Amino acid sequence: MKFVNNRVMKKDAMSLVTGQAVYTDDIAPKDALIVKVLRSPHAHAIVKNVKKDIALKVPGIECILTWEDAPKTRFTTAGQTYPELSPYDRKILDERVRYVGDAVAIVAGENEKCVDRALKMIKVEYEVLKPVLDFREALDNKVVVHPEEDWEVKVPISPDVKRNLICHDVLEEGDVEAEFAKCKYVIEETYLTKANQQTMMETFRAYTYKDAYGRLVCVASTQVPFHVRRILATALDTSKSNIRVVKPRIGGGFGAKQSVINEIFPALVTWKTGKPAKIIYSRKESQIVSSPRHQMQITVKLGADENGKLKAASLYTLSNAGAFGDHTPTTIGLTGHKSLPLYTSHVNAFKFAFDGVYSNTIPAGAYRGYGATQGVYALETTMNKLALKMNMDPIEFKKKNLLKEGDYMPAYHGETANSCTLEKCLDKVKEMINWDEKYPCKDLGNGKVRSVGLAVAMQGSAISNVDVASVTIKVNDDGFYSMMIGATDMGTGCDTILAQMAADCLDTHVDNIVVYGVDTDISPYDSGSYASSTTYLTGNATIKTCQILREKIIAAGADMLDIKLEDADFDGEKVYSVKEERSISLKDIANNAMCYSNHTLTATAKEKTPVSPPPYMAGAVEIELDKETGHVEIIDYATCVDCGTVINPALATVQTEGGLVQGIGMALYEDVQYDNKGRILNDSFMQYKIPTRLDMGKIRVEFESSYEPTGPFGAKSIGELVINTPSPALCHAIYNASGVWINELPMTSEKIAMGILKNNIEA
């Protein structure tokens, strides 16, 4: 392999570093109407009347739309494969508003100044209703968030909407309580994780226009173009044939753009007026009306025998959907399905149960890790606590119970771990962090303590039996290749990685592969860039496509050489006879095939997956903790990843580093907070703290490759996995330094200092 498993520079690297990269707002029509949304100041209310007559007189205003002007169809904004597990519970505009920031009216005008002026002139009469703001009180609350009769879901998820219950499920093997009763050591802990914002650099943005045939074209910064097409068609109550979606360069997504956050608003304006329209969310809007990580409460119970072998495990998750149910039934499932398999292949019994509920808070959505992040934090922290209770080194305890290659995973949809070097990853980070010398802590004698903590994690590679990917490659004149994919590169480098695979399959140079972005009219169908699917799933589709195309190239070359097909072969530059010294170059084949030829040098292939092979990682952190203030400084973070064959080590490394930084932000800093009326308080980067490079200390990344037999070149995913270890590893290190276990994220300095104070008082 010339390119796979090598540090190939990203295809868009030079345009990015020279400032030539073009994003959605850069290519929007200059005459597009500016669209903004009037939002509810109430967490729960009925819109009784919208007085817009004065606002309509503002010069330059094109239209002001309310629920009376919008289609009545309900839909979900969750960008998932149809039929979605998320409920159809929202309209573009509704007379009932369900959280502070919910859309009340759409204003479109010639410029931002007139739109801002009109927004101030609209008068709304509300019937204010009591909200339910604490999701732990939502189930069977007297306040029903969705009382409407046309609420529906396409897939059975055991909902009871009148109880504010979106979904419920129980997976159980064996008699868990009976096994707990036999265990010498039993521990049960409850954890609370907060909502987290993805905080991508490019905020939500889209523009729409009608083409020459009257079709609606939506150009959007999205991870899921084909799902956007379906969602817009449903929301506008029209056929998908009337919608075209184009994805330009994306300035980051991390799951936020797996939902249709604002595309529906300019789409309705263009649908009504026939004029191009554009919406650009401010940072404040991206903080208060977006799709953050689900807030969750997770209870974990573990039981082990006197030798440190786990015998029983249970995990229960209560998840806060917020005002709408987007992604709730799927994220909540991952809290158990992508944490429990780490240790439950050989237990006698396990149980995983969950409930997803509505509340009158910001609707949650997809975020890197997608539920596994919360589940791993809870499970790994409980494992570390149980090791302490048994007076065992946590690494040795984990290794006694750890998933190994070849193990059957009943908690992971009954799949088998065909590739797994997790134990090697654990040994590697133990060595990297110098665990034996530093564990548990070292008092520096100046009120500061240095300590270490550790965690392991897993994820998946695409959604088994659901997701699909397609790739089209054609040979152009002069012999270069055009590669069309439906997956979206959102900065991850998938355009480069897929080109690397294609280059090796076609025996050409990676620069000879031109990769095109997504256009639903042209690109082959792909579920989208989420669920860690692109390298694994679209990679397999790439290999299939190249195999078909090679056969077509050989057939065309053999025809032009007038030799038998079985006597011809292709070396990337020419088709040649294996029996005699005759050949024809790919350039000549391509040029000849375009003129007076029946050969079509284009291939398309599709890939589905019956399995979702997990990648794995171990992470160890060294911190310095100030016992007086509770301040935590990260000294070193060592991590080792098993993502199968590493397709591009440079991109895999920066993916890992970026995920670790986001995970550290979730663990120590990020905290979506509300006032008693349901308004989000931290609506800018002044109030919502995310880590910078200066907060990180040293980050080191290593790989322990396995070979995944179902993956392209043996590869698995990496994108989501790498955010999962910081929370439990830091929680462990904080305890080792301070004696304080923190069961609620973020683990702020205040919580640590107050915990130390409480321990001192009780002592």
Side-chain angles (χ1 to χ4, degrees), residues 132-142 164 318:
V132 53
L133 299 177
D134 188 337
F135 77 107
R136 292 165 292 189
E137 300 172 358
L139 195 61
D140 294 318
N141 197 293
K142 291 181 180 179
N164 291 324
L318 179 68

Side-chain angles (χ1 to χ4, degrees), residues 208-217 267 269-277:
T208 53
Y209 63 94
K210 285 195 173 182
D211 66 13
Y213 303 98
R215 299 171 70 225
L216 180 75
V217 181
V269 170
T270 297
W271 198 250
K272 290 282 187 177
T273 68
K275 297 182 178 181

Side-chain angles (χ1 to χ4, degrees), residues 157-267:
I157 55 175
S158 301
D160 191 341
V161 71
K162 297 302 187 288
R163 299 177 59 211
N164 291 324
L165 180 67
I166 300 170
C167 56
H168 166 80
D169 199 11
V170 179
L171 172 67
E172 186 171 11
E173 289 205 7
D175 190 332
V176 175
E177 293 306 320
E179 290 299 327
F180 280 132
K182 300 174 187 176
C183 293
K184 181 175 181 179
Y185 301 100
V186 177
I187 187 170
E188 184 173 10
E189 296 283 338
T190 297
Y191 304 88
L192 180 67
T193 66
K194 297 289 190 73
N196 304 122
Q197 292 288 355
Q198 297 89 345
T199 62
M200 58 282 169
M201 289 179 67
E202 182 195 30
T203 61
F204 300 97
R205 50 196 61 197
Y207 69 86
T208 53
Y209 63 94
K210 285 195 173 182
D211 66 13
Y213 303 98
R215 299 171 70 225
L216 180 75
V217 181
C218 176
V219 181
S221 181
T222 178
Q223 298 171 223
V224 286
F226 286 95
H227 296 328
V228 173
R229 180 176 66 181
R230 181 185 68 251
I231 291 166
L232 288 180
T234 304
L236 295 171
D237 197 19
T238 188
S239 166
K240 287 195 286 288
S241 63
N242 288 326
I243 310 290
R244 174 188 174 197
V245 178
V246 179
K247 187 257 352 157
R249 185 184 303 277
I250 302 177
F254 309 115
K257 295 171 183 175
Q258 196 194 331
S259 294
V260 175
I261 298 299
N262 66 3
E263 293 93 331
I264 53 178
F265 302 125

